Amino acid sequence: MSSPPDEGELGTDDGVRDDDSSHDESESQHSGRLGSQGGEGGGETQLAELARKAEHLDNPSTRNGSALGGYGNITSDAIASANGPRELPLRAAGISMEDEQDSISNPDDTPSVQDSALSSPASSGFGPLTSASQTSPTPSLRPFDRRFQSRLSPSPLSSPRPQSPAFLNAQSRQVSLSSTVLQGQDVSDQQAPWDVVRWTKLVKVTNQAFSEAGKRSFGRATCIAVSALIILGTSKGIILVFDYHQNLKSIIGPGTQAVECGPITSLAISADNTNIAGGHANGSIMTWDLAKSARPFLILSPLEKSELVNRKVDGHLRGSPILHLSFLGTRHTALVSADDRGMSFSHLATRGLGAVGRMVKTTRILGRYPNDGAPTGRPQKPSSVLACAALPLGNLERRTDDLGLVAMLTPYLLVIVSTTPVAQTQHKAPRPKEVAAHSALSGCLAWFPSVKLKSTDSKTSESISRAKLVYCWSNVLTVLEVSEVEPSDPSEKERPPTLSFRARSRWKANEAIVAVQWLSRSVLGILTITQQLVILEDDTMRVAETLDLIHKHIHHDDVFSKQLQPIVDQLDEDVSLHGVVADAFYKSFRSYKGRIFMLGSNDVQVGTLSNWADRLLALMEEGDFIRAIQLATSYYNGDTETLMVGLPSDSGRRHALVQEKLYEMLSASLRFAFGRNQRKKAERMTDVQLEELAGACLIACISMGATEYLFDDVYESFLEGSAEGVFHESIEPYILDGQITTIPPIAVKGLIAHYTSKGLDSRLEEMICHLDTTTMDIDQLTTLCKQHNLYDAFIYVWNLALGDYITPLTELFSLIRDAHDGEYDSGDGPTRSVNGLKLFPYLSYTFTGRIYPTGGDLAPEVASKAKADLYTFLFSGKTISWPKRGGRPLLTMSRDEEEPSFPYLRLILNYDAASFLSALNEAFEDGFLNDSPERRANAGVQKGIGEDEVFGLSVNRQYIVNILLEVMSPNNFDPEDTIYLDMFIARNLPKFPQYILLPGKALQRVLVGLCNYPSKDVADDCQLSVEYLLSMYHPPDLEALIPLFAKAGFYRALKAVYKAGKDYAKLLQTYFEDEEDQEGVFGSIGDCLRPRSGLSARQVRDVRAVVEAHARDLASIDAVRTAETINNYASDLHGKMIDALQDDALLQYQYLETILEPASRTSVETKKAQSVANHDFEEQYIRLMCRFDPSHVADYVNLLQSGDLRLSEVLPTMENNGVVDAAIVLMAREGLVRDAMDRLIAHLGTLETALLGLIAIKPDSSLDDTSASETLEDVLSALQKYTHVGIWLCQGQSRSSTGITPSSTSSTLRSQLPSQIPSVVTLSSDEAGLTRTERLWLDLAFTLIRITMRATSSAPSSPTLTSLRTLTHHTFTALLTTTTSHPSSSSSTSPSRTTQPPTPVRFLPTFRALLTRLTTSSSPSQTQTQTPETPHPTPTLSSLRPLLTTIFSSYAYETSLLSLAARLLDTSLFADVRENAAQRQRGWRAGAQGCEGCGARVWGPGVGGRVWEEWVEKGGDAKRKRTGGGGGSGAEEGSVGKGKGKGRDVVLRGGGERGAGATRGEGDAVEDALPKELQPLVVFRCGHVWHRGCLDRLRGGGAGEVEGGVRCVVCK
């Protein structure tokens, strides 16, 4: 590969010069050029040459000063970023490289060999479960509910080790230092050679076309066209022709008619690159033969407007710029053009002598002339041709080449037309609904022809691709496939082919698309309105790259806005339309053979789409070998996010292409790296750089499956370069992920040597357990594992490599034996003890058929043998010699002591009984112990296995339990150990009753032992075990066990016993004793006392007695649930429950609240509950509510009926707690309205005193300003609240008052009051004539005015006066409302019980009495009985005048506001009604053109001219103008039939009718006699159309009839 052309030279392209085809298949365009330049196999490859050249990169004389020369200046950080997120576990734990030697700890933070010999102390199991041994930690709870795990076994939690980087994407344009820009250069001009698109400025073209001299001579460039030539059109009507060497070959137009036709607005190049065509701004089109460019080859002049009157020929109008121009097929005289008015024409010239002698036939294929009316009579929509292009030729002949297919895109439709032999529409598609609302209006399209493929397409199995059209509306891109339909009759092959169009895929961009081009058969180049270049893959619709081209200043013109501005203006009416018209970029954005040509404002640039080979070579030439290998690997795997130009989609072919090159890159990189390290003067590569190289090589080899190459070549290179340690640590994550399972012995040896020398024993152990053991040196490895305490790896190797499960067990036994005997050295004692604990997870894994420590499954035969060996070793009861041949006996005692029976079992149980029994608990769940002993023994004899293995096969659950009972006798073991055996038996006996049989005495001893647990730590485990055992075992002497259960606190077991024995009273008693499950007592009470519970009367009586005895305890648990339970099942106990709660007022209140006001009930149900409740409960509830929720008392009292409460019982409590509003409501309900008002006024007087005292506080007083402000707000809120209470009281009395004196009942109730409140003032003569209701209003108004005036006189500038005046104003408003409204006969909210007709309230007498009282109260001689007396001055009548003036002025102001609002409402209502009426007159638009009943066409094109004539004859045109209707063909949408006139056409609209029960008459017969197209129509709102006769025939059967009208039968 040669470097990009210098000085902007485009270079030569044989395919461009020799091939006349405009398009080629992508694989032929971009063949891999990674091999030799002379062809495949022709000499050494470029990579080999690069490797040799790389050796000189370190020479200062040949190396440039940047890091681009190779690894010389690459830092560790840059290398780390180049390989993406992959890190070794060392760095994943946050340990820096500087601290590696000091803190190179294991991944699980366990000490290394330098500090301790621990392998993984917390890695296996959960530790010992008892404290019987001195080396065991504290006991662990629930030993039989947990499962042993090892550090290496799969876990549901995520692994702390980072994921393998084998398939992580490391591709980015910033991953390597080689891709960074050099300091001091302009970033905008810098581009890496491996970028997807590499831009080159065409310097020669730019200098000639955009220089000042060029602009003066030719004008500015307006458009570009590209084929084998580069053609520019200019603003002076001149065309500049350049070749690919950027030589100006021809200047077309000067001195001809072309310069008089205006700027060039469009260009086209013929298929053979010999002719070009140019469209001009005035509508002219000229073609030129490049061999004879002195004059035009063909001239197509535009039509004058005067020629449109009697038009005989077609053509563009003068002044309409030619926006699009294309040659059709291979002919030089066939073109298609489109202008900005939305018109498109095909032009076909005949042969003749020169341009003058030729005849041109022009055919209009799209659009209408301005003077042509629309067929429907509607005005033409504004339109333009946004895009237009003819289908180009491919690399083979197709039948579609003779059709002259042209695709045109308007703002509304996509139209594909065949121009030969006659113009015919082949396909139409509307604008998609997915177009974003308010987006920019834009449109573009591009064809890709049908081509012959090099190989069969893997998806379609075709060797010839189909033609494709990509078109875009705004931000929506669609790919349309065009295929030929094979004719069934061979004779039809001579006819034009039938085409099939299929919209294959659709993609939405974030913004409007202004230009689109095919870069290859599977790659699209998309230019958006913000000049973003998007590279899109056609097959997957995946964005491969996005480039910002805003800095390239692409040339664009405002071509469409003038013509399409009305569409933008309609945006408010139709939100689906566009908010702006985009400029035209299509004239500046072209592509040819994978290159993108862009016309800028001041230059021309070409972008080359780099293929895969070019990008790899560019990286290698820059010395970035690592990234080149990574990119090649991603190409091989097909998972790269970048574009794979030139690579087939088929995996097999892609692998074959990339694999060979990848091998060459790996070899060249290794030779360069280690050849550099061997040179003395060269700067050596760091370990970090070598680590990155090793990682890239590993990923590549793993992807290709080249394990042999990895160790034969890659590893050998690292070994020779003395960098094998880097390779070993790099390979670690791939071993742990299972990607590498086999390593040759020499590599294993080096791995072990490296990790042990650095103290990374734990990581080494983990790797060993993930490798295939067949390649290991067993003797060396086992010795090393024991030396470094790597017992997990030791067990793994012995098990898998040798199939030996006893030798690891004996090694672990030696550890626990020494720990039990205390024979450890002081230094390694804890280490050996912890390693000895690995015995238990090892037993658990093997007993359940799993590989230790990885957790994989053993083969069935291997698992069976391993289990038999372990069971024989533990339960044979004798001492064994190991190895079997020549081994010594394995002793558990000292030489002087005799070995007991079952020596190894006893040793384990003495060491940690809990852990061993937990392992056995897992073993019991394995199916190995299910088979009968006889059958397994016979099978063993038939196989010829040894006696020991036969014994192991015969072990079952019953045998194990018997041996355990025999060995773990109380004489030999402490209770701390035997308790675990009891739990083990109690747990497993219910699970395997068919396999384990024990006598009752043994089970009784187990229950007793569980009750006598040695420590509180295991109490819950013991109780759970008792529950297990009692689920299947029923002790004969259960009564004797109950005291033991109670003493042990086994309440769950006691409940089960009592429930089984139907002793429900004791069951409830147990719930009260069980502090952990006391809330379960409520469910138990419900089960016992619910109807049809099955309990006898005595049992019910006993249960009730327990409830009564524990009433206080029950409420203390949950008072609300207690009340609900008692109310549901024993409501007669409410009294006793409440009495039991006398000393706890809060619980009593919660209890009463639950039964009287349940939260889940409605107000009606609450009233029903209160009606059946004891009134004593209600009174007590109100008294308690006054303490705990005083704000709710008034609401609750409103729900009660009159007479439910005794006033003497509740009013004192209300008074004492300040719940005055509730007291007033209660007195009013009892008819004591006058007393209620007196109490209210007295309370207002109290609030008045507090208010005046707060107002009088001086700013410098000791009272805190914040506290005083908050108190004042509280007093004002209280005044507002009680003012509304007073208004409610007066209004209620106004609706029910008769003006009579209080009844005897009221006097009796008044006697129950604690004390009477004196009247406010002595009645005057004016007040004596008032009714009771009027006197109430008088007292309330007088009190509020008095408070306001006194506050005014005390503090005239206080801000509280506004609030007080508002209350007075509100009171007067309520009074006026009452006096002007019509009283109702009854009211549910009336506080009085009187049912006589109310007497209206008179305002003037009341107001006169108010003035009299104010005058009298202001006179010093008038005697007043005020309570309480106040030193504040009494308001005078003169001081009242401003207050009254303000009140009545506000009434006048409100009247004006109401009048104005009424006028505005009338105006708005009239406008809405008028608009609705206009909408109804417009009618509904029919959604279909055929009758839903008979299917005949009823309107629109094809209905026939007779309909129009009949409509005109009936005066339809006048009616249409009068009603503003649209006037459909044959549908009188504006008329609605009324009356019974015969023979009249009645047309119904949606919902209209002739009458729900109308019958068909003579007029209907006349209608039926009319032709179908003239019969009246019915149009429903839903858009369905019917002949009225068809609808009436359906209605005859009742279809569609509804009350008051007719409904559409289709929609209903």
Side-chain angles (χ1 to χ4, degrees), residues 623-864:
D624 198 345
F625 297 121
I626 295 175
R627 186 163 177 243
I629 296 172
Q630 292 172 342
L631 183 59
T633 305
S634 64
Y635 285 152
Y636 183 89
N637 295 324
D639 57 359
T640 179
E641 295 181 1
T642 58
L643 197 62
M644 296 190 299
V645 178
L647 283 177
S649 58
D650 179 65
S651 299
R653 295 176 55 205
R654 185 179 70 250
H655 290 172
L657 283 174
V658 179
Q659 186 173 6
E660 181 181 356
K661 313 306 175 185
L662 194 51
Y663 278 133
E664 294 178 3
M665 295 170 65
L666 291 172
S667 300
S669 301
L670 293 171
R671 285 196 301 271
F672 165 73
F674 295 107
R676 173 179 182 173
N677 278 3
Q678 291 174 2
R679 292 190 298 273
K680 295 182 180 180
K681 295 184 179 180
E683 182 181 352
R684 295 181 60 83
M685 296 182 63
T686 64
D687 288 346
V688 176
Q689 295 169 344
L690 291 176
E691 180 183 337
E692 298 299 328
L693 177 61
C697 295
L698 281 166
I699 297 173
C701 293
I702 291 173
S703 300
M704 295 186 296
T707 307
E708 294 183 1
Y709 179 83
L710 176 64
F711 291 102
D712 292 346
D713 293 80
V714 178
Y715 178 67
E716 288 296 330
S717 298
F718 277 86
L719 190 62
E720 293 174 1
S722 301
E724 65 275 13
V726 174
F727 183 87
H728 292 145
E729 295 188 21
S730 299
I731 203 174
E732 177 183 356
Y734 306 98
I735 295 176
L736 299 180
D737 286 346
Q739 299 179 55
I740 296 178
T741 58
T742 302
I743 296 181
I746 185 174
V748 173
K749 182 178 180 180
L751 186 72
I752 295 173
H754 173 72
Y755 274 82
T756 54
S757 65
K758 299 186 68 174
L760 306 177
D761 300 324
S762 180
R763 288 165 57 178
L764 173 63
E765 180 182 34
E766 191 171 357
M767 284 190 289
I768 292 173
C769 293
H770 284 80
L771 290 175
D772 185 3
T773 58
T774 57
T775 61
M776 300 179 181
D777 186 341
I778 303 301
D779 293 337
Q780 179 192 22
L781 189 58
T782 54
T783 303
L784 183 63
C785 289
K786 290 182 61 177
Q787 179 183 350
H788 296 282
N789 295 298
L790 304 179
Y791 282 94
D792 285 343
F794 179 83
I795 297 171
Y796 179 81
V797 172
W798 274 101
N799 289 168
L800 293 190
L802 303 177
D804 186 352
Y805 291 84
I806 300 299
T807 299
L809 192 61
T810 59
E811 292 294 335
L812 296 176
F813 259 98
S814 65
L815 296 178
I816 64 172
R817 180 188 59 197
D818 295 341
H820 183 266
D821 296 340
E823 297 181 1
Y824 287 150
D825 295 335
S826 58
D828 62 350
T831 302
R832 294 172 61 83
S833 177
V834 172
N835 285 325
L837 294 176
K838 296 179 183 292
L839 169 68
F840 304 108
Y842 172 58
L843 291 175
S844 172
Y845 273 50
T846 309
F847 283 151
T848 54
R850 292 177 291 168
I851 300 173
Y852 182 84
T854 59
D857 293 332
L858 287 169
E861 295 183 358
V862 176
S864 177

Side-chain angles (χ1 to χ4, degrees), residues 1141-1343:
L1141 301 176
Q1142 288 295 336
D1143 58 342
D1144 195 328
L1146 180 59
L1147 288 179
Q1148 194 177 47
Y1149 169 70
Q1150 293 175 347
Y1151 188 95
L1152 288 171
E1153 181 184 25
T1154 305
I1155 63 176
L1156 295 179
E1157 288 189 288
S1160 60
R1161 295 185 183 178
T1162 62
S1163 59
V1164 177
E1165 293 174 332
T1166 302
K1167 291 180 179 179
K1168 182 179 179 181
Q1170 293 164 353
S1171 64
V1172 300
N1174 191 324
H1175 295 315
D1176 294 335
F1177 295 167
E1178 295 174 343
E1179 294 171 356
Q1180 178 65 11
Y1181 178 50
I1182 291 176
R1183 287 193 291 268
L1184 294 171
M1185 194 188 302
C1186 290
R1187 294 177 53 188
F1188 297 108
D1189 192 6
S1191 62
H1192 183 58
V1193 177
D1195 296 334
Y1196 179 73
V1197 169
N1198 269 328
L1199 299 176
L1200 301 179
Q1201 297 180 359
S1202 179
D1204 288 349
L1205 300 175
R1206 292 171 295 180
L1207 299 184
S1208 59
E1209 295 293 333
V1210 296
L1211 284 180
T1213 306
M1214 292 181 180
E1215 295 283 350
N1216 295 334
N1217 290 277
V1219 190
V1220 179
D1221 56 340
I1224 294 171
V1225 171
L1226 185 58
M1227 288 190 289
R1229 290 178 60 87
E1230 300 298 337
L1232 305 176
V1233 181
R1234 179 68 260 174
D1235 300 276
M1237 178 58 73
D1238 292 342
R1239 182 67 189 88
L1240 174 62
I1241 292 175
H1243 188 65
L1244 289 176
T1246 304
L1247 295 176
E1248 175 189 359
T1249 303
L1251 177 66
L1252 296 178
L1254 291 171
I1255 293 177
I1257 295 176
K1258 296 180 180 180
D1260 57 350
S1261 70
S1262 59
L1263 186 62
D1264 186 17
D1265 292 342
T1266 304
S1267 177
S1269 176
E1270 294 177 353
T1271 306
L1272 183 60
E1273 291 180 0
D1274 294 340
V1275 173
L1276 290 175
S1277 299
L1279 279 172
Q1280 183 179 8
K1281 171 183 175 182
Y1282 286 103
T1283 299
H1284 287 87
V1285 172
I1287 293 173
W1288 170 82
L1289 188 63
C1290 296
Q1291 287 177 340
Q1293 184 69 6
S1294 300
R1295 287 190 289 266
S1296 60
S1297 175
T1298 61
I1300 62 174
T1301 58
S1303 62
S1304 58
T1305 305
S1306 299
S1307 301
T1308 303
L1309 292 172
R1310 186 176 290 108
S1311 64
Q1312 299 179 11
L1313 296 177
S1315 61
Q1316 295 297 318
I1317 301 172
S1319 300
V1320 175
V1321 294
T1322 304
L1323 294 179
S1324 65
S1325 58
D1326 291 331
E1327 298 178 20
L1330 300 179
T1331 64
R1332 293 174 56 196
T1333 306
E1334 292 169 348
R1335 286 199 295 272
L1336 295 177
W1337 283 107
L1338 174 62
D1339 294 340
L1340 179 62
F1342 174 77
T1343 304

